Amino acid sequence: MPQKPDITPPEAQDQRVGFALVGIGKLTAEELIPAARTSEHARVAALVSGEADHARGFARALGLTDGDAYAYEQFDELANRDDVQAVYIVLPNSLHREYATRAARMGKHVLCEKPLGVNAEDAQAIVDACKGAGVLLMTAYRCQYTPEHWAARDAVRGGTLGELRLLHSIHAQVEDDPEAWRLKRDLAGGGPLPDVGIYSLNTLRFITGQEPEWVFATQHQPAEDPRFREVEASMSALLGFPGGVSATIQTSYAAHSTGTLRVMGEKGSLLMDPAFPYDGLKLSVSSEDGTHEPAFPEYDQFTLEFDHFARCIRRGDTPWTPGEEGVQDHVIMDALYESARTGQVVRLPAHTNRDAFRGTKPQLSQK
Ligand code: NAD
């Protein structure tokens, strides 16, 4: 079979995969729209928002027409748009399933923000809908598309640290608006765990390529704080990976903004701090050869995601982070909540293959 080329040239605007962005909040406005402008294989072809006026403003700024702006009620009209091949869902978590299912029914490929759903059953329904419709589904795990996280993975998997022993990650931030959808169980599915703690969980799974065999968790939900009537304020978890590798994850909506990752092997360790922002990630690897702080070229995480999914659509490849990758995080998060509720260790199904839920490796540079 001929080898697929590693590098595909930028395409003319009208040749690029057209995306409809659904939900125009902070992430869409400040990150995704600018990222799509520098993408080589994707472009924004339509925008969908609660109010058509809001979408129209963004459409005009992008050089699109008023006809490219849709209200949520008009979402199904995208079926008539042959130039929209994919839908990027950037809505509160509980709405992912409805919009992903409707997009799949229209034959549109689906890029969905993390967490994929509100629990494993919800997320699996999205996978089933996309499979049934024969469209691709990618979970937007931006940290699996950064050169820094791949370098950390290479250090772990390439043996630089020796036998793996301990893993640790914290991802926390302060959520101070009691009315935020992120604090409503029905909309968010949980508190900091599915919103920011998921980065710790997903990254540990990514860099080891392995799946936890059991979990134990405790959570804190201060009843007197109006922010935490429905969801946890903090969670601390212990996860058992194969071979006795032990991981701790801590997450909070009431602790100073922190995102850190530490991996300890028998012969070396690595630290990524900060580990999860959109830029400015710092990696330090210590081994028998000393301590190295590798430098990386500038890039945009969201552009790399857009380009990866666009290439997958062109080639019919399974994305590196398909829907199944999103479901597996939910399986583990459901187990963490069960453990916090029952005070018991919860065992998980064994997965012996490395990268059991991942697809085609991404190309990490834009050029
Ligand atoms: P947001 O609060 O900015 O809202 C996004 C959109 O949803 C907006 O258009 C908003 O008007 C709409 N919306 C809000 N509440 C709604 C409701 N009850 N019903 C219908 N529409 C509603 O949210 P966001 O921060 O953009 O998050 C959206 C998704 O993106 C979430 O799944 C979140 O986890 C994810 N996200 C990912 C990252 C990342 O780094 N990958 C960063 C931020 C958010």
Side-chain angles (χ1 to χ4, degrees), residues 168-182:
H168 177 54
S169 181
I170 302 175
H171 200 190
Q173 65 188 38
V174 174
E175 179 58 71
D176 47 20
D177 174 9
E179 297 312 313
W181 67 260
R182 285 181 162 76

Side-chain angles (χ1 to χ4, degrees), residues 23-27 72 90-93 95-96 113-115 142 181-182 187 195 199 278 302:
I24 313 177
K26 197 166 146 54
L27 182 70
Y72 290 149
V90 201
L91 291 167
N93 309 339
L95 299 173
H96 292 180
E113 263 308 328
K114 47 53 63 180
R142 58 183 172 77
W181 67 260
R182 285 181 162 76
L187 286 167
D195 189 34
Y199 285 90
Y278 301 148
F302 297 102

Side-chain angles (χ1 to χ4, degrees), residues 51-213:
E51 285 144 30
D53 257 0
H54 185 59
R56 270 195 287 273
F58 281 92
R60 284 178 197 155
L62 273 168
L64 301 176
T65 68
D66 287 358
D68 297 318
Y70 298 79
Y72 290 149
E73 306 82 70
Q74 299 168 299
F75 180 73
D76 296 322
E77 292 174 23
L78 289 173
N80 306 321
R81 293 282 303 263
D82 290 343
D83 61 334
V84 173
Q85 290 97 34
V87 167
Y88 190 167
I89 298 168
V90 201
L91 291 167
N93 309 339
S94 66
L95 299 173
H96 292 180
R97 177 176 177 174
E98 178 194 338
Y99 282 87
T101 305
R102 284 165 68 183
R105 229 181 274 139
M106 289 188 267
K108 309 295 183 191
H109 302 289
V110 177
L111 176 55
C112 186
E113 263 308 328
K114 47 53 63 180
L116 186 54
V118 292
N119 54 41
E121 186 192 353
D122 190 53
Q124 185 61 49
I126 297 177
V127 170
D128 294 344
C130 291
K131 275 230 166 82
V135 297
L136 296 181
L137 169 62
M138 170 166 149
T139 315
Y141 283 128
R142 58 183 172 77
C143 289
Q144 292 202 38
Y145 298 88
T146 84
E148 288 89 345
H149 285 89
W150 275 83
R153 172 185 157 105
D154 288 346
V156 168
R157 307 275 286 270
T160 309
L161 312 184
E163 285 281 319
L164 210 52
R165 298 290 184 235
L166 304 171
L167 313 168
H168 177 54
S169 181
I170 302 175
H171 200 190
Q173 65 188 38
V174 174
E175 179 58 71
D176 47 20
D177 174 9
E179 297 312 313
W181 67 260
R182 285 181 162 76
L183 297 173
K184 308 293 169 207
R185 180 164 292 281
D186 281 356
L187 286 167
L193 177 64
D195 189 34
V196 291
I198 192 171
Y199 285 90
S200 295
L201 173 60
N202 189 257
T203 302
L204 293 182
R205 294 181 45 243
F206 164 63
I207 61 171
T208 58
Q210 294 190 308
E211 301 300 329
E213 297 169 324

